[in-house]
Each structure stands twice: as structure tokens, then as C-alpha cells.
Amino acid sequence: MRARTVREVGEFGLLERLTRMVNRAGLGAPAPESPFPLLVGIGDDAAVWRSGSALEVCTTDTMVEGVHFTRETTPWEDVGWKVMVANLSDVAAMGARPLYALVTLGLSPETPVADVEAVYQGMIQCCREYATHIVGGDIVASPVTFVTVALNGVAWGEPLLRSLVKAGDLLAVTGSLGGSRGGLEVMLRHPEVEEVGERLREAHRRPRPRLDEARVLVEEGVRAAIDVSDGLVADVSRMALASGLAARLEADRVPVDAALSSVFRDEALELALTSGEEYHLVYAAPPAVMERTLARLPGARMIGRGEPGRPGHVRVEGREGREVHSSRRGWDHFRPWSS
Amino acid sequence: MRARTVREVGEFGLLERLTRMVNRAGLGAPAPESPFPLLVGIGDDAAVWRSGSALEVCTTDTMVEGVHFTRETTPWEDVGWKVMVANLSDVAAMGARPLYALVTLGLSPETPVADVEAVYQGMIQCCREYATHIVGGDIVASPVTFVTVALNGVAWGEPLLRSLVKAGDLLAVTGSLGGSRGGLEVMLRHPEVEEVGERLREAHRRPRPRLDEARVLVEEGVRAAIDVSDGLVADVSRMALASGLAARLEADRVPVDAALSSVFRDEALELALTSGEEYHLVYAAPPAVMERTLARLPGARMIGRGEPGRPGHVRVEGREGREVHSSRRGWDHFRPWSS
């Protein structure tokens, strides 16, 4: 049966169809005769090609008003910061550092110039902090505001791929989770929470890409990583799926943001498992490599392992092996409530 | 006085403000210590950086439904073709060839999957014809449909820049103009025009990037070019402005599309001077270089020259030097009727 709308086939179904079309046309395959031979095409956090003696990465990420943010919860400066971080985090997840960004703005003619400047101010703050240049872009009229960034970077060494988890590899995350979703919940439901709430709001509005951590992972020989952009379970599921494996996470080991725990108590774990825009890195490595990374990354925690099983299945176990959460597949932007 | 909305400051005013912000923050400057030193940042058809022994270019271009196309005049396949050509043409205008595209789709959940596949079909046809790989991208929910492409390419030699026109350089265009606008006019106002109309509709729906011509220009030592994306006069104005010069065009020399002339007669010249999405290249060169290019490009025509004067001013002269058209500045997406 042929599904009819994008909602019906979902983000993953649509992506699979389009990827198949590209591959059938021979446009997704490596082009070894190219001056820049392609190493990684559609399906990871960024594309990768060889460029002289370096490996170059390129990614793109978009924020649309009313979909990825609202004016109520995200001031314009933070929109600029966040869209840049989404791209920087993709670059980090490939084991690379950022170089050059192209910025596309879709704007209604009635947009106040001050708002556009605020978006740029946020992007500029972020670019200064993470050594990224803004080298071009496009401004177009649009009935809905959107910001797209395309970001080129250069890998520290061998790129980190989603698809390189091996059965028996340990899984770790570079820091505690849930702050971003906690900040949103505080803004929408608990405006009365003040001091701790401010820390959570900050986590939501000013997330950070883990570029330094990415470099450590590459230096220690890690080969598989993804960033937590759609939620820990969802992104581990994607990584497992790309590697043809299942994954098991231990709930007690998942590092939960302290501010989140203090406000949301019993709900905190579930929020930490599903919070998007966290931008910590999840990575996989054999025990010896894992040990070296944990020694160098004080915030990182081992949270589970990759194992044979239904590809993409993630089982989150509580005490005595009880399942507390599970996901077949990741977050779907067109079917947000179905996963 | 501080203008208030994007419409009030216009596309150019906004671009100037944002570029100033980026430059003040030191983010637009070359980064010579980079593994990929930046040669061209904001302000040309694409950014350029050195990548090993090659020069890499990167550009991005977007089409928004209701702004750049409507379902009535542009079938979905043609939307895909056209957005890819807009990017390929930017690459051509830099004297480069395309390599890798990242595609962002903004889609309502209610979009029929068949429409999305048609957009991709059009992009794939175009990529096959012009040796471009689709290596990644992003799919996001959006209340308005838009397609953004970011395209990386590699220069044939020294890049073609907007800013390198010299006073006394001759100006030429690689082929006849006006077909794209003619096709739109036929669809909107003259559906009764059949055979010739079909040629014009084709020009509107399936424009072509001038990648082969770009290579010839580089081989012959041309240094300055731009593509006709917003209209001949508008784009010559941009090129002149970037070069700190004025330009003079001879109306009789401007090659007007034959089908356009046969349908629109007296209006044809004006349409040819202002028609966007033509994607022929306008280039500047001293007479000896110009002669060599014209010998190798049968469709190309010398149309005028760069000269001292108010930067960006373009004077189009008819018989006996009478001014038939003039532009201070180019097409403005936020003030379409003011130029």
C-alpha cells in the first residue's frame, strides 16, 4: 500500500524513499574520480569527503518558527545561537571542528530589522565562541520565518560514524541530560520555579556543542558517535539501526541533570531519556578505549552497550532488569506523538 | 533614522547591516591559519577557500512556495530542477564545477509524498546532467514549503569574482535573454500562444546553468563574472557596484530570445533586460581576452563596458545614446516594485 502524505509515511519513511531514489540514480555513491572523493553520503550527521590530506565534513540544519521554536520561549538571539549549535553539534558528532557557515534567512517583509539583527547577534556570539566564520548565505522572502545554516568543517582524524558500533561495544554519553526539555517545561508549565528554573532555561536557550569532547574521542580511537539532538533513546536507536544492532541502556547509569531532578523528581529520568537539543555526544567503544575516554572526560558516563538484536531497538532497564522505556525508532518530526 | 522592517531597509540594506555585524566581529575576515584558508567570504555568488591544491566554492539558494514559485506555473519536478540550477549557476559564476549538494526540505505534514518525490526527481535529473552528488540534508516540518540547497564545488582555476571588473573592460553575456520571464508571462497572460509559448515555458521551467561556458571563461583568463539570476540590469549593477564602477550597456547588442521577440515584440527588450532565472553568465574582460572568449562561445555577445561613474549605476543606451533603461541597484526581494 502506498502511503499518501508525509505525515503518513513519517520522516524516516520519507527519508528512506528519497535516499533510495538518490542511490538508484547513482548520485549517492562515492565518486572516486572526483578531486574530493566522497567517503560518507546521506545517512550520518554530516557528509564527508577527502580534500587533499584532510577530511572535510558538511552538514545543514534548520529552525522554523512555530515548529522548532516560538517567540514566547526563545528570544531571537537564542534562535541564532541554537541553529548554529545544531550544526556545530553535527560537526562534533563526526569528530570534526567547524570552519565556514552559510546562513539562509527566510523572512517576512514585515519582520523588524532589530529581530533579524538579534538572530545574527546570537549566531555571531556562537561563532566567536567556537571559531566559526560566516562566509555567505541567502536572504529570501517567506511567509514563515526560518533559519538554515550549512556548515563545513574538518575532521580531527578518522571520522566518527553512526554505523560503526560493534556488538559488545560499551556506550557512553559525554554529560548529563534533560536540561533542555526541563527548561522548556519550566517556561511552559512552571514559571514559578526561579533560581533552578533559570539554569534549566539557560540549558534550553543556550545549549553547547561538544567540540572539545569530540576531539578527545578521536584522539583515543573512538569510531562511532552521534549527538543527542532528538533525545537519548531516539538517537541511540538511530545509531544502533545504522550499525545493524540493538542497544541496552541502564537507567540508573543515565546521568540526569541535577536541576532537572530537583524540580521534576520522578519525571526527571523520562525527561532525560527523551529531551532533544542536548547536544551531548553518545559514543561506542570497546572497553579499553572506553576506559581511556572516561579518564579524560570527567562528565562522561558509561550508560549501556550495543548488542545483537532487532536493529534500532533500544531497551532501557531499571533495577533487576525491568524495562522502564523502549523505543523502536527515533523521534519523527512529522509524527511527534507516535514513537 | 533607523528603518523598522525588513521591507523598509530592503534586501540590500539588510545584507549590508548583517555583513557589517559579521565583519565587526572578525568573522568575515580570512583565516590564514586555517587548514582551508578563506579567499572570498560574504558578497559574491559563493564563498571560496583553499583546500589543498584546489579552490573549493560553497553556495546556497532557496525556493519558497508562493514567493519563488506557485503550483500553477511550476510543477514540483521543475521546482526541484530549478532550485538545483540556481545553485549550479552560482558555482558556474565562480568559475567552478559542482560536486556535492545538501538538500533541506521544509514540508507540511499534509504534503503528498508523490509531490516530494517529484521535487527529488527534478533535482536528480539535474544532478545527473551536471555531475552533482546529493550527499545529505535535512527534512523539517514547516507551514510553508521550501527547498534549500547548499552546494560545494571546485574551481577550474582562478575564481571568477564580481569585484574584478576594471574600467574599460568589455562586458558580454553568454547567450540570449528573456525566455524565463517570457515563459511566465505566457503562462499567466497568454495561454493561447502554443508552439512558441512552449519554448518559453520550457525556458522558465528548465533553465540551464552555464558550467561549460564558465570553464571556457577561466581557461581564457577572464577574472570577473556574475550569473543572471535577478535580471541582466540588476546583476550587472551588482557586479559594477562590487567593482566600484558604473556600466553602460548597448540595447541593440543585448541578445533577445527569438521566441520572446516573436510573441512580445516591442516589450521583448524590456523583458530581456529584467528577466531573472536566466542563468547566462555576464563577464568582463579586456578586449583581447574578450575576443578569445567570443571565438569559443558562439552564443556569447558583447553588450557594453565597465566605466568610471557612480558605483552600481547601469545605463542602457538605445540608438544615438538615448537612455532606454537604467538601474541604480538590483532587484530587491523585499521591495520588488521599487527599483
Side-chain angles (χ1 to χ4, degrees), chain A residues 2 4 6-7 21 25 27 29 36 38 41-42 51 56 100 109-111 113 117 121 128 133 135 144 152, chain B residues 2 4 6-7 21 25 27 29 36 41-42 51 56 100 109-113 117 121 128 133 135 144 152:
Chain A
R2 185 178 167 77
R4 300 249 290 285
V6 167
R7 188 195 303 278
M21 287 175 71
L27 300 180
F36 299 153
L38 185 69
I42 298 177
S51 183
E56 191 170 344
Y100 299 126
E110 306 316 323
T111 310
V113 170
E117 290 178 331
Q121 205 51 61
R128 285 175 72 108
H133 287 248
V135 298
V144 61
N152 288 69
Chain B
R2 186 177 167 79
R4 297 251 290 286
V6 167
R7 188 196 303 278
M21 286 176 71
L27 300 179
F36 299 153
I42 299 176
S51 183
E56 191 170 345
Y100 300 124
E110 306 315 324
T111 310
V113 170
E117 291 178 331
Q121 205 51 61
R128 286 175 70 109
H133 287 248
V135 298
V144 59
N152 288 72

Side-chain angles (χ1 to χ4, degrees), chain A residues 24 40 44 46 96 118 124 153 176 188 192 265 273 277 295 301 330 333:
Chain A
R24 254 201 318 260
V40 179
D44 214 307
I124 284 171
S176 60
L188 296 176
E192 76 285 359
R265 302 181 179 281
L273 292 173
E277 299 181 350
R301 294 287 177 273
H333 289 96

Side-chain angles (χ1 to χ4, degrees), chain A residues 2-9 11 14-15 17-19 21-22 24-31 33-43 46-47 49 51-56 58-65 67-68 97 99-100 102-114 116-118 120-121 123-125 127-128 132-144 146 148 150 152-154 333-334, chain B residues 2-9 11 14-15 17-19 21-22 24-31 33-43 46-47 49 51-56 58-65 67-68 97 99-100 102-114 116-118 120-121 123-125 127-128 132-144 146 148 150 152-154 333-334:
Chain A
R2 185 178 167 77
R4 300 249 290 285
T5 68
V6 167
R7 188 195 303 278
E8 280 159 9
V9 300
E11 185 183 358
L14 184 61
L15 189 60
R17 280 164 186 250
L18 299 179
T19 303
M21 287 175 71
V22 168
R24 254 201 318 260
L27 300 180
E33 80 290 355
S34 162
F36 299 153
L38 185 69
L39 300 185
V40 179
I42 298 177
W49 55 83
S51 183
S53 60
L55 292 183
E56 191 170 344
C58 189
T59 186
T60 185
D61 232 273
T62 294
M63 289 182 70
V64 180
E65 184 174 6
V67 177
H68 302 89
R97 66 188 172 106
L99 292 173
Y100 299 126
L102 273 70
V103 177
T104 299
L105 297 177
L107 300 172
S108 151
E110 306 316 323
T111 310
V113 170
V116 185
E117 290 178 331
Y120 252 72
Q121 205 51 61
M123 286 196 290
I124 284 171
Q125 289 161 11
C127 284
R128 285 175 72 108
T132 303
H133 287 248
I134 296 176
V135 298
D138 194 15
I139 302 175
V140 295
S142 167
V144 61
F146 66 88
T148 299
N152 288 69
V154 59
H333 289 96
F334 295 102
Chain B
R2 186 177 167 79
R4 297 251 290 286
T5 67
V6 167
R7 188 196 303 278
E8 281 159 8
V9 300
E11 183 183 359
L14 184 60
L15 189 60
R17 280 164 185 250
L18 299 178
T19 303
M21 286 176 71
V22 168
R24 254 199 320 258
L27 300 179
E33 81 290 356
S34 162
F36 299 153
L38 186 69
L39 301 185
V40 179
I42 299 176
W49 56 83
S51 183
S53 59
L55 292 183
E56 191 170 345
C58 189
T59 186
T60 185
D61 232 274
T62 295
M63 288 180 73
V64 180
E65 184 174 6
V67 177
H68 302 88
R97 67 188 172 104
L99 292 172
Y100 300 124
L102 273 69
V103 177
T104 299
L105 297 177
L107 300 172
S108 151
E110 306 315 324
T111 310
V113 170
V116 185
E117 291 178 331
Y120 252 72
Q121 205 51 61
M123 285 196 290
I124 285 171
Q125 289 161 11
C127 284
R128 286 175 70 109
T132 303
H133 287 248
I134 296 176
V135 298
D138 195 15
I139 302 175
V140 295
S142 167
V144 59
F146 66 89
T148 299
N152 288 72
V154 59
H333 289 94
F334 295 101

Side-chain angles (χ1 to χ4, degrees), chain B residues 173-178 251-257 272 299-303:
Chain B
V173 61
T174 55
S176 61
L177 300 170
D252 284 355
R253 289 180 179 269
V254 173
V256 178
D257 182 277
R301 294 287 177 275
M302 209 277 283
I303 56 173

